[in-house]
Amino acid sequence: MNQVCLRIQDPSLEAYLQIGGYQVWKDLVSGKILPETALDTIKQSKLQGRGGAGFLTGLKWGFMNRDLPGDKYLVCNSDEGEPGTCKDTLIMRHNPHQLIEGILISAYVIGANVCYNYIRGEYLREYEACENALAEAIKANLAGEGILGKSLLINIHNLLGAGSYIVGEETAMMESIEGKRAMPRNKPPFPAQYGLWGRATTINNTETLASVPVILEKGSQWFQDLGVENAAGTKIFCVSGHVRKPGVYELPLGTSFQDLMDLCGGVRHGRKIKACIPGGTSMRVIPGDKLEGLTLDYDALKAVNSSIGSGGVIIMDETTCMVTALTHMMRFYHHESCGQCTPCREGSGWILKMLERVLANNAEPAIIPQIREVAKRIEGKTICAFGEAISWPVTSFIDHYYDEFVYFAQHGKSKVADTQLGFSWNEYMNKDAA
Ligand code: SF4
């Protein structure tokens, strides 16, 4: 298997040098590879951002004016707050030098001289690994001042967040780096024109930046050939939920869903899949009957009205109560709304209250279309994409499992526990603890 990011399990500089690490960086600094050539290679590789939006990395880099005088910034988004996603943690823990090389190369190509690696607040071990690796890289003259004996300065700072979800949104992250509360900014202006402290800034995800040295080493065609049309390279999938072997798997884009399930040992207890969220909880749920023959790439997931997102694949088996699952998710989103936009702040609260009324046997079935309507009205009316992160799960859960929601409102208990499993609601709620 050609792995791009999860190549080694040893965070030391020595281990990374043994697999040819920092050679591309040395070639760039020595002039053997020109920054323009590196930019072209990344463009031709069709690398798409691995944080969720899937924007073409080379195109994004092209928005930076590298000749602009003064400080320019590169931010590595290692916040990784999307529920179901735990991929960047492995890169930082086990292969931090590849990430540092990716940051250095990317900074050099776009003309940035200061880089921030913004790490999720809970990732203390990853922060430590990145700090150790950075100290090694500086000592080896690979980063910092006077890189490889040249008058080249690129400073990298590892920053630890404070535990918010919304700080993973790029403009909220810039606010946080500037020392302010993590509230998303209105766009435009976009970060490449007006980013950190009003200067040109590019923000890329950890997996995206860690892919850069390998693409430049092996070539854009090699990278494209790993994946399928419109989805080049590999993607790290984090599989959780009702599978026998939950875990993190780096696979070529275009891999079949069934192959991923086989790697995960299938559904636990030999049950059937009821649903899958393929890209973290902000993405729309896919019902089990649409998973057959599905491949894991941008076009295929779009065709079933979902998205690859951040690669957090959540599997739900037939014992899952979708009303309860959605309520848990909405509790999270309501808590994490930054509160700037009325539709997001109030809408998430209304949705949660209405779902809790359904769970408490205190609602009529007519409340279900109302919940959907509130969610639908949030979409497209907020400063940041958090509005969609609330709306998409709600509308898709209700669209695909409408009868379950109505049943709960009618009977005050889960249809799954009541009609399918043959045990009581209380037994159902305690089944995993038993
Ligand atoms: Fe904040 Fe929500 Fe508005 Fe985003 S959509 S800026 S999280 S209130």
Side-chain angles (χ1 to χ4, degrees), residues 385-408:
F386 192 93
E388 282 71 35
I390 297 169
S391 178
W392 289 350
V394 176
T395 52
S396 62
F397 266 64
I398 292 178
D399 288 349
H400 293 304
Y401 303 97
Y402 185 76
D403 60 329
E404 252 189 65
F405 282 81
V406 169
Y407 188 98
F408 213 127

Side-chain angles (χ1 to χ4, degrees), residues 165-166 169 182-185 336-345 378 381-388 390:
Y165 170 81
I166 197 58
E169 197 277 341
M183 307 262 255
R185 298 176 183 171
E336 295 296 335
S337 165
C338 87
Q340 280 191 99
C341 319
T342 308
C344 171
R345 181 188 66 240
I378 300 172
K381 297 185 181 65
T382 54
I383 292 173
C384 81
F386 192 93
E388 282 71 35
I390 297 169

